[in-house]
C-alpha cells in the first residue's frame, strides 16, 4: 500500500523584500514582506512524494540527483507535517511511522536568485500536506524550509506577516488579492546570469542584520509604511504607486547589502543598465509604466501591465541584442510590436551582444496545485523515474 502525490508550485517575487531574521531556526523574519505569485505553468517546482511501509529510510532527489536528507530545514518540515497530522488525527498512527520518498525538479535554474527555494519548499510541503491529509494552513510549515516559501503557498498577491510570537505561530502568509483581481498585471524576468550565487540569501541577510546600520532604519521606519501603502495600491489597482514602492524597496534592499560588512553585491553592471533603461522609459511617459525589482542575484523582475509588454520587449531586444533570437523570449506568447523609431532615438546605442541570456514572460498565478495526469516523478514502487 502506498500513497503517491504530485504537486506543482509557483515562484513568488517580492515587492517588499524579506531580509533579516529574528529567529534563525524557526525562520522568523524581522519585517513583513509582500509578493506576487507567478504563473506556475511558466516557472514551477514539481514534487512527487510517496509514503510507504516498504521504504527503509527517508530519501530525496532534487533535479535528478540524490541529496542528503540530513538537511535540517527538510527535517523540520517533515517533522512539523507529522506533528500536525498527529494533532489533526488526519492519518492512522501507523502511517506516521512509514518512511517517505521525495523527488523534485525545477523547470528553471536552481539557487540562482530566481526563488527556487520558495517554489521548491512550497511544493514539497503542499505535497506532504496532501499525503498526510492536513487541512490547516501550511504556510508556516513551508516557512521552515525557506522563509520566502510561505508566500508561494498562496496565489495572487501575498503578505507574509512577520508576527511577534516567539514560537512563530503568527508568522504566516495571507492572500491580499487573488490573481483575478488584477489580471492585466504581467511580469518579465530578465535573466542576466543563471549560475549559483556566491552568498546565499540566508548568509547574506545574517550578515546584514549583524553589520548594517541602515538595516534597523529600514525595518523600523521604512517597511511598515511601505507595506501598508503597497497593500492599498494592490487593492485599489494603483499601478503607479505599486511600481514606485517596488523599485524603491528593491533599491533599499541592495543598499543594505552594500552597507553590510564586508559588502554584498548581487547586482551586476547589466542589472544597472536595466535600471537605467526602465527609468528612462518611465520618464518619457507621463506616468510610471514599469517597475523593476531584484532579488539576491543579478536578474531583474519587471512588473508591468499587459499593454506595455510588446513595447518594452521590442525595446529590450533593441538595447540588449542577442545571438540566439529564437530562444530569447520564453514563457507566455506575446504579440510582437515593431519598435517605434522615436523611442529608439531616445535610447542610446545597443549594448554589446548577449548581456541578457533570455527573458521569461509570465503573469500572476495561483498557489500550488495537484498534478492529476499521472506524470509522477516516482514510479508506483516509489523510486525516481528519471535520474541523471
Ligand atoms: N524543488 C525543490 N525542492 C526542494 N528543495 C529545493 C528545490 N529547489 C530549491 N531547493 C532548495 O533551495 C536551495 C536554493 O535556495 P537559495 O535561496 O540559495 O536560491 P534561490 O531560492 O534560487 O534564490 P533566492 O531565494 O535568493 O531567490 C537549494 O539548494 C535547495 O536546497
Ligand atoms: C531577496 C529575497 O528573495 C530573500 C529570500 O530569502 P530566502 O527565503 O531564500 O531565505 P531563507 O529564509 O534563509 O531561506 C527577498 C524575498 O523573497 O522577500
Amino acid at each position: 500500500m502506498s500513497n503517491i502525490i504530485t504537486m506543482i508550485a509557483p515562484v513568488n517575487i517580492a515587492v517588499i523584500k524579506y531580509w533579516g531574521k529574528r529567529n534563525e531556526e524557526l525562520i522568523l523574519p524581522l519585517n513583513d514582506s509582500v509578493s506576487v505569485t507567478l504563473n506556475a505553468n511558466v516557472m514551477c517546482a514539481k514534487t512527487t512524494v510517496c509514503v510507504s511501509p516498504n521504504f527503509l529510510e527517508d530519501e530525496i532527489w532534487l533535479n535528478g540527483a540524490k541529496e542528503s536528507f540530513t538537511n535540517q530545514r527538510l527535517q523540520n518540515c517533515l517533522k512539523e507535517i507529522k506533528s500536525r497530522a498527529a494533532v489533526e488525527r488526519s492519518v492512522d498512527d501507523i502511517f506516521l511511522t512509514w518512511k517517505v520518498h521525495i523527488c523534485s525538479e525545477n523547470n528553471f535554474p536552481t539557487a540562482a536568485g530566481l526563488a527556487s527555494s520558495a517554489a521548491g519548499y512550497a511544493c514539497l510541503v503542499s505535497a506532504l500536506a496532501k499525503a498526510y491529509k492536513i487541512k490547516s494552513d501550511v504556510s508556516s510549515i513551508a516557512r521552515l524550509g525557506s522563509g520566502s516559501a510561505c508566500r508561494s503557498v498562496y496565489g495572487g498577491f501575498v503578505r507574509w506577516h512577520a508576527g511577534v510570537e516567539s514560537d512563530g505561530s503568527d508568522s504566516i502568509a495571507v492572500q491580499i488579492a487573488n490573481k483575478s483581481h488584477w489580471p492585466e498585471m504581467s511580469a518579465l524576468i530578465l535573466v542576466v546570469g543563471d549560475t549559483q550565487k556566491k552568498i546565499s540569501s540566508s548568509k547574506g541577510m545574517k550578515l546584514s542584520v549583524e553589520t548594517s546600520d541602515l538595516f534597523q532604519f529600514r525595518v523600523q521606519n521604512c517597511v511598515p509604511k511601505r507595506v501598508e501603502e503597497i497593500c492599498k495600491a494592490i487593492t485599489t489597482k494603483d499601478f503607479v504607486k505599486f511600481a514606485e514602492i517596488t523599485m524603491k524597496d528593491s533599491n533599499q534592499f541592495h543598499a543594505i547589502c552594500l552597507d553590510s560588512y564586508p559588502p554584498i553585491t548581487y547586482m551586476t553592471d547589466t542589472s544597472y543598465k536595466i535600471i537605467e533603461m526602465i527609468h528612462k522609459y518611465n520618464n518619457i511617459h507621463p506616468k510610471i509604466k514599469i517597475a523593476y525589482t531584484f532579488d539576491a542575484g543579478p536578474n531583474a523582475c519587471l512588473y508591468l501591465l499587459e499593454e506595455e509588454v510588446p513595447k518594452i520587449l521590442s525595446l529590450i531586444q533593441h538595447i540588449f541584442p542577442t545571438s540566439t533570437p529564437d530562444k530569447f523570449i520564453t514563457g507566455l506568447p506575446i504579440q510582437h510590436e515593431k519598435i517605434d523609431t522615436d523611442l529608439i532615438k531616445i535610447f542610446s546605442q545597443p549594448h554589446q551582444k548577449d548581456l541578457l541570456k533570455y527573458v521569461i514572460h509570465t503573469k500572476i498565478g495561483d498557489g500550488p496545485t495537484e498534478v492529476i495526469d499521472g506524470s509522477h516523478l516516482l514510479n508506483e514502487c516509489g523510486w525516481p523515474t528519471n535520474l541523471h
Side-chain angles (χ1 to χ4, degrees):
M1 195 166 75
S2 72
N3 191 338
I4 298 187
I5 301 285
T6 301
M7 305 274 292
I8 58 165
V11 302
N12 72 81
I13 303 289
V15 289
I16 301 293
K17 304 295 184 195
Y18 146 54
W19 198 248
K21 297 183 182 70
R22 63 185 165 93
N23 182 316
E24 290 281 333
E25 202 196 333
L26 293 176
I27 313 199
L28 301 177
L30 280 157
N31 62 269
D32 285 20
S33 54
V34 177
S35 61
V36 182
T37 297
L38 301 180
N39 187 338
N41 294 323
V42 178
M43 289 167 83
C44 70
K46 180 176 180 180
T47 306
T48 300
V49 304
C50 180
V51 188
S52 165
N54 302 329
F55 300 152
L56 298 178
E57 53 182 351
D58 295 325
E59 293 193 68
I60 183 165
W61 294 264
L62 178 56
N63 296 322
K66 192 164 182 327
E67 300 249 316
S68 162
F69 214 97
T70 54
N71 175 342
Q72 197 55 52
R73 289 174 169 209
L74 182 59
Q75 300 246 6
N76 291 349
C77 288
L78 183 59
K79 197 168 145 223
E80 190 55 30
I81 286 278
K82 286 187 176 181
S83 70
R84 247 337 148 84
V87 170
E88 292 183 16
R89 304 201 68 77
S90 55
V91 290
D92 294 340
D93 288 349
I94 185 87
F95 193 87
L96 295 175
T97 64
W98 296 351
K99 301 292 180 192
V100 59
H101 280 186
I102 302 171
C103 190
S104 186
E105 57 190 37
N106 302 323
N107 71 349
F108 61 94
T110 298
L114 287 171
S116 70
S117 60
Y121 277 105
C123 206
L124 186 141
V125 165
S126 304
L128 285 173
K130 192 107 198 164
Y132 287 84
K133 300 185 171 56
I134 288 167
K135 294 276 172 289
S136 52
D137 167 86
V138 291
S139 74
S140 58
I141 310 182
R143 193 200 73 225
L144 297 172
S146 181
S148 53
C150 74
R151 299 185 311 235
S152 274
V153 167
Y154 296 102
F157 299 85
V158 182
R159 174 174 180 173
W160 173 13
H161 292 265
V164 291
E165 301 296 340
S166 54
D167 65 356
S169 51
D170 56 351
S171 188
I172 54 165
V174 174
Q175 187 180 63
I176 304 166
N178 66 24
K179 69 166 189 192
S180 341
H181 167 71
W182 208 348
E184 305 82 13
M185 183 65 84
S186 302
L188 294 173
I189 313 286
L190 275 47
V191 180
V192 174
D194 51 12
T195 50
Q196 203 154 330
K197 58 193 172 227
K198 276 182 266 160
I199 304 180
S200 69
S201 302
S202 311
K203 284 196 181 129
M205 64 177 83
K206 190 162 185 286
L207 187 67
S208 296
V209 175
E210 285 163 2
T211 64
S212 165
D213 295 330
L214 286 183
F215 180 83
Q216 287 306 330
F217 184 80
R218 164 178 166 75
V219 168
Q220 281 160 22
N221 301 64
C222 305
V223 174
K225 193 162 163 267
R226 280 184 185 162
V227 166
E228 294 311 321
E229 283 180 354
I230 207 158
C231 287
K232 189 165 162 230
I234 291 165
T235 42
T236 59
K237 298 209 268 185
D238 179 347
F239 183 80
V240 171
K241 195 78 195 159
F242 171 85
E244 187 189 316
I245 299 173
T246 297
M247 290 186 278
K248 285 186 172 174
D249 201 69
S250 172
N251 293 339
Q252 188 178 64
F253 153 51
H254 290 278
I256 282 175
C257 288
L258 209 54
D259 187 48
S260 305
Y261 192 78
I264 311 164
T265 47
Y266 288 123
M267 290 199 287
T268 62
D269 282 355
T270 304
S271 314
Y272 289 105
K273 287 187 170 76
I274 295 167
I275 291 181
E276 194 190 339
M277 172 184 74
I278 299 301
H279 281 292
K280 211 162 177 179
Y281 188 86
N282 284 335
N283 285 342
I284 58 172
H285 290 88
K287 287 197 284 191
I288 297 177
K289 294 286 184 185
I290 305 179
Y292 55 78
T293 183
F294 294 81
D295 273 356
N299 307 315
C301 173
L302 307 184
Y303 285 118
L304 66 171
L305 299 180
E306 206 168 53
E307 62 195 21
E308 225 56 41
V309 171
K311 270 187 264 180
I312 190 69
L313 271 179
S314 50
L315 185 63
I316 290 171
Q317 282 168 303
H318 168 74
I319 300 182
F320 293 100
T322 173
S323 43
T324 51
D326 298 349
K327 295 185 192 143
F328 193 62
I329 297 166
T330 66
L332 300 175
I334 46 132
Q335 295 141 356
H336 274 275
E337 188 165 291
K338 211 173 156 10
I339 183 125
D340 140 9
T341 43
D342 291 341
L343 197 60
I344 291 187
K345 279 186 213 138
I346 299 167
F347 282 84
S348 56
Q349 289 300 303
H351 297 303
Q352 72 197 75
K353 265 194 172 172
D354 299 327
L355 288 184
L356 285 189
K357 283 184 177 297
Y358 57 99
V359 176
I360 306 169
H361 172 219
T362 186
K363 294 201 105 185
I364 324 182
D366 290 319
T369 48
E370 188 171 0
V371 176
I372 48 169
D373 64 3
S375 62
H376 301 300
L377 303 176
L378 297 169
N379 63 24
E380 59 281 6
C381 299
W383 294 95
T385 51
N386 192 8
L387 281 188
H388 291 169

